[in-house]
Amino acid sequence: MEPDLENVVLIDETFNLRRQTMETDAELVERCKAKDVQAFEALFMRYQTRIYNFIFYQVQDAETAADLTQEVFFAAWRHLSSLRANEAFSSWLYQIAKNQCRNFQKKRRLKTESLEKSEVLATSATQNVWEIPDESKNPEKLTLSAELQTVVEQAISELKEKHRTVIILHYIEGLGVGEIAEILGISQGTVKSRLARAREKLSEKLAKYED
């Protein structure tokens, strides 16, 4: 039986709700391994916003982020028995989210490449093709009055994956260097180096929006 993550039912008993709120991740995970659905719903409520935000900044689409968030938690429920250290649940969950994003982006790239090939074939087979110039590729055509939030999100999405991930985890999710190192399986020194490089790249991208 899988937990109903789309319609999480709030627990009526005040005592049970308070207990689940106070329980550590490790305690809730232990109950989950015994197929306690309510314990997993408590973990879902605890982490859904963080995981959604992490995914959203990777894929830049609210609906896709919501769908992938659901997939992350379903995958976590199905494979929870493979988690050896219950206290490492949050790091493990972010690893699942990172892999979901990577798989999605790979599929999106393949789909885009397939569509581009189809367009090339269609153009080759057509003698009279109307070509409309894409002015959006011209930086001077960008609307400088766009909200800062949108500008920052776009700049983050354009970073390389390794830089984008550490920026999201550190500045948006609020995780420390040690936690990020554990999630990504790299040294703390590498995390610091990537953060420095990511900040440098963001500064370059955002410089043109400064007055």
Side-chain angles (χ1 to χ4, degrees):
M1 175 182 177
E2 291 190 338
D4 181 3
L5 300 182
E6 293 185 356
N7 299 290
V8 176
V9 179
L10 295 179
I11 303 170
D12 293 331
E13 297 85 350
T14 303
F15 174 78
N16 287 340
L17 181 58
R18 185 182 298 113
R19 185 190 69 175
Q20 291 185 2
T21 301
M22 295 176 62
E23 282 181 300
T24 64
D25 286 358
E27 291 170 335
L28 288 171
V29 169
E30 190 62 32
R31 289 172 53 197
C32 290
K33 288 182 176 180
K35 302 303 179 184
D36 186 331
V37 174
Q38 288 186 343
F40 192 76
E41 288 176 349
L43 286 171
F44 174 74
M45 296 298 291
R46 184 174 293 179
Y47 284 102
Q48 63 169 326
T49 300
R50 302 183 205 178
I51 295 299
Y52 172 85
N53 288 338
F54 172 74
I55 293 175
F56 175 78
Y57 274 90
Q58 298 278 6
V59 302
Q60 290 293 298
D61 181 80
E63 185 176 351
T64 299
D67 290 342
L68 290 179
T69 298
Q70 293 282 328
E71 290 300 319
V72 167
F73 282 96
F74 280 130
W77 172 258
R78 289 192 293 267
H79 301 291
L80 201 55
S81 60
S82 67
L83 178 61
R84 295 182 179 180
N86 291 354
E87 63 274 10
F89 175 77
S90 63
S91 298
W92 180 71
L93 192 64
Y94 274 109
Q95 289 172 356
I96 295 175
K98 183 187 69 172
N99 290 335
Q100 287 283 357
C101 289
R102 185 171 293 172
N103 291 338
F104 170 79
Q105 289 165 343
K106 181 178 180 180
K107 291 178 181 178
R108 182 163 60 181
R109 281 196 300 271
L110 291 174
K111 183 177 181 180
T112 300
E113 291 172 1
S114 177
L115 288 173
E116 289 175 348
K117 289 179 180 178
S118 297
E119 290 173 358
V120 169
L121 290 174
T123 301
S124 300
T126 305
Q127 295 299 319
N128 298 315
V129 180
W130 291 90
E131 295 186 359
I132 302 176
D134 183 4
E135 296 183 348
S136 66
K137 294 181 180 180
N138 185 345
E140 296 179 357
K141 298 293 183 179
L142 292 175
T143 304
L144 298 181
S145 60
E147 295 183 359
L148 180 60
Q149 179 70 21
T150 302
V151 171
V152 172
E153 289 176 359
Q154 180 63 30
I156 291 175
S157 71
E158 293 173 355
L159 293 172
K160 290 183 178 180
E161 181 187 351
K162 63 182 181 180
H163 295 143
R164 182 173 65 246
T165 300
V166 294
I167 282 289
I168 294 171
L169 290 175
H170 187 61
Y171 290 105
I172 298 174
E173 297 296 292
L175 300 183
V177 171
E179 293 175 287
I180 297 173
E182 183 179 353
I183 291 170
L184 301 180
I186 57 180
S187 69
Q188 293 190 28
T190 300
V191 172
K192 293 177 181 178
S193 175
R194 290 183 182 180
L195 280 171
R197 184 59 174 164
R199 286 193 295 265
E200 180 183 333
K201 286 294 183 181
L202 278 178
S203 295
E204 293 174 0
K205 291 177 180 295
L206 297 175
K208 59 186 175 184
Y209 296 102
E210 296 178 356
D211 293 331

